[in-house]
């Protein structure tokens, strides 16, 4: 791929707008096609970002020979089906998180990617955030000694929304866990790996969706205390504490632009702002992988996505969090 890498987007909600703006900052990538089930919406989106092709069906975009890679920004419940269809059309795929609703879906997606020999990555943008990338590096270097404690949360108030909307609708895999709980779980997994034991408790909303979940990930020499919720806001300042000091990732930590290191009674702050909204960095990773003919990223691999969904499946099983389409 000596020329620009050509992107398509399926699903044109708010996140697609952020993604399109950040893609515009990438020199060797361009947005060439967008698709919505509403042709007028696709046309409006295309006009806003000077996109050449606007489709009123997802299938039309998949068949567009001018598209190299497709970003899927639809609700969770269609991630697996659309990713698989795109890959069967020979397209590379960046699929918004969570990659699938459960491990079975993620396994199916990876199997198709391997069969078709195309690139597939879960769009867990926080993995590529410069601050989080640096904090991971500092921890691995032993900057604060052996990690013993990690705390991360993600919460906001959403119970006043339309009950048929994505977050509150069980038919759309609503609830806090898959939408935002994935972030604290990701951070614990990134820093400490898979836990030896998971303890969790969840409360539910009147629509049947899980509205808040607390988790403890227990390791041989460490514990992670995690939370996600739709019933109130939370500070969203992450803390990693070790035998020689602590690192704090500033709010909102999943899209952080700064962190601080506290050691020996003093604290030093460092700024590492993301480019654009922050999707820029995952786009660069996808394009680097495509140019190197890789079918997965080593920064966020297929196995990483399998491990992450396995942890979420475990928390769901512990709290009987199920969706109607799974029964």
């Amino acid at each position: 791929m000596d020329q620009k890498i050509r992107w398509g987007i399926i699903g044109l909600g708010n996140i697609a707008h952020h993604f399109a703006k950040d893609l515009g900052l990438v020199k060797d990538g361009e947005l060439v096609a967008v698709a919505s089930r509403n042709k007028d919406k696709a046309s409006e989106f295309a006009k806003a970002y000077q996109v050449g092709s606007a489709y009123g069906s997802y299938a039309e975009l998949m068949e567009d020979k001018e598209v190299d890679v497709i970003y899927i920004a639809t609700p969770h419940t269609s991630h697996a089906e659309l990713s698989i269809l795109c890959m069967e059309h020979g397209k590379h795929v960046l699929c918004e998180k969570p990659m699938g609703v459960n491990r079975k879906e993620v396994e199916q997606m990876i199997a198709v990617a391997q069969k078709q020999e195309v690139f597939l990555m879960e769009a867990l943008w926080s993995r590529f955030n410069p601050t989080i990338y640096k904090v991971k590096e500092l921890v691995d270097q032993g900057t604060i000694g052996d990690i013993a404690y990690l705390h991360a949360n993600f919460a906001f108030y959403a119970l006043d929304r339309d009950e048929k909307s994505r977050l509150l609708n069980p038919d759309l895999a609503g609830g806090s866990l898959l939408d935002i709980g994935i972030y604290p779980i990701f951070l614990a997994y990134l820093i400490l790996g898979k836990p030896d034991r998971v303890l969790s408790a969840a409360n539910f909303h009147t629509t049947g969706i899980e509205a808040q979940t607390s988790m403890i990930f227990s390791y041989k020499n460490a514990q992670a205390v995690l939370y996600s919720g739709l019933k109130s806001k939370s500070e969203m300042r992450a803390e990693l504490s070790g035998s020689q000091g602590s690192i704090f990732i500033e709010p909102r930590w999943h899209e952080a632009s700064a962190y601080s290191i506290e050691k020996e009674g003093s604290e030093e702050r460092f700024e590492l702002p993301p480019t654009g909204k922050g999707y820029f960095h995952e786009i660069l990773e996808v394009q680097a992988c495509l140019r190197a003919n890789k079918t997965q990223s080593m920064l966020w691999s297929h196995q990483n996505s399998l491990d992450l969904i396995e942890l979420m499946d475990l928390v769901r099983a512990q709290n009987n969090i199920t969706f109607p389409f799974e029964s």
Side-chain angles (χ1 to χ4, degrees):
M1 292 184 178
D2 296 326
Q3 299 178 339
K4 285 187 175 183
I5 290 174
R6 302 166 299 179
W7 288 79
I9 298 178
I10 285 179
L12 304 179
N14 289 336
I15 198 169
H17 284 275
H18 293 312
F19 188 90
K21 290 173 184 175
D22 275 18
L23 180 54
L25 303 175
V26 178
K27 293 181 179 179
D28 60 343
E30 64 178 328
L31 182 57
V32 300
V34 295
S36 170
R37 286 175 295 191
N38 182 318
K39 179 61 186 296
D40 290 340
K41 185 175 183 179
S43 297
E44 289 174 11
F45 193 102
K47 183 178 179 181
Y49 299 100
Q50 293 82 52
V51 179
S53 298
Y55 299 114
S57 74
Y58 300 153
E60 288 178 284
L61 189 147
M62 295 177 197
E63 294 165 1
D64 189 333
K65 292 182 171 56
E66 299 301 311
V67 174
D68 301 313
V69 54
I70 297 174
Y71 171 57
I72 294 175
T74 59
H76 316 328
T77 45
S78 59
H79 286 180
E81 178 186 2
L82 292 175
S83 294
I84 288 170
L85 286 171
C86 288
M87 291 186 289
E88 288 176 342
H89 279 80
K91 306 300 186 186
H92 303 293
V93 169
L94 173 65
C95 180
E96 192 48 56
K97 57 81 195 163
M99 196 149 82
V101 170
N102 50 49
R103 184 183 171 96
K104 181 180 178 182
E105 288 191 351
V106 175
E107 287 175 338
Q108 291 171 340
M109 295 163 75
I110 292 170
V112 173
Q114 293 172 341
K115 179 182 178 181
Q116 297 294 118
E117 297 183 342
V118 294
F119 179 86
L120 170 67
M121 190 178 86
E122 184 175 22
L124 199 62
W125 68 319
S126 296
R127 176 63 183 97
F128 310 97
N129 174 279
T131 292
I132 293 175
Y133 188 93
K134 182 63 177 180
V135 167
K136 164 70 170 166
E137 186 179 74
L138 292 170
V139 169
D140 290 346
Q141 291 171 353
T143 302
I144 56 172
D146 297 326
I147 299 290
Y149 172 70
L150 183 149
H151 176 245
N153 55 50
F154 195 145
F156 54 85
Y157 189 77
L159 300 187
D160 56 352
R161 301 188 183 191
D162 183 345
E163 291 189 349
K164 293 183 180 180
S165 64
R166 181 176 59 85
L167 283 174
L168 303 184
N169 188 345
D171 291 324
L172 296 177
S176 80
L177 187 66
L178 293 185
D179 195 69
I180 55 178
I182 189 172
Y183 288 107
I185 293 172
F186 150 75
L187 189 64
Y189 171 73
L190 179 71
I191 300 300
L192 294 168
K194 292 185 72 175
D196 300 319
R197 190 160 61 112
V198 173
L199 306 173
S200 65
N203 288 333
F204 293 80
H205 184 49
T206 53
T207 62
I209 58 96
E210 155 273 329
Q212 59 180 166
T213 298
S214 295
M215 298 159 277
I216 298 175
F217 284 11
S218 183
Y219 302 81
K220 183 179 180 181
N221 296 306
Q223 290 187 344
V225 179
L226 315 172
Y227 173 79
S228 66
L230 304 175
K231 300 181 72 172
S232 70
K233 68 175 184 178
S234 64
E235 184 183 20
M236 291 191 64
R237 182 183 193 230
E239 177 180 358
L240 292 69
S241 191
S243 56
Q244 298 174 26
S246 298
I247 296 176
F248 300 93
I249 309 176
E250 294 189 1
R252 300 184 330 155
W253 70 261
H254 77 297
E255 55 181 7
S257 59
Y259 67 95
S260 59
I261 301 177
E262 184 183 89
K263 294 182 73 173
E264 300 175 353
S266 63
E267 187 170 328
E268 187 174 3
R269 183 176 183 273
F270 303 87
E271 291 193 7
L272 268 177
T275 299
K277 178 70 174 176
Y279 298 96
F280 173 87
H281 305 284
E282 71 177 359
I283 294 169
L284 288 188
E285 173 64 12
V286 172
Q287 296 201 162
C289 290
L290 293 182
R291 294 193 186 282
N293 295 314
K294 294 180 180 180
T295 54
Q296 62 179 308
S297 164
M298 289 302 98
L299 289 177
W300 194 251
S301 67
H302 293 168
Q303 187 60 52
N304 294 147
S305 291
L306 283 169
D307 289 346
L308 189 65
I309 195 65
E310 185 177 293
L311 289 168
M312 290 193 289
D313 278 357
L314 176 57
V315 173
R316 288 180 58 199
Q318 288 180 352
N319 296 279
N320 195 28
I321 300 170
T322 59
F323 304 115
F325 55 84
E326 292 177 310
S327 58

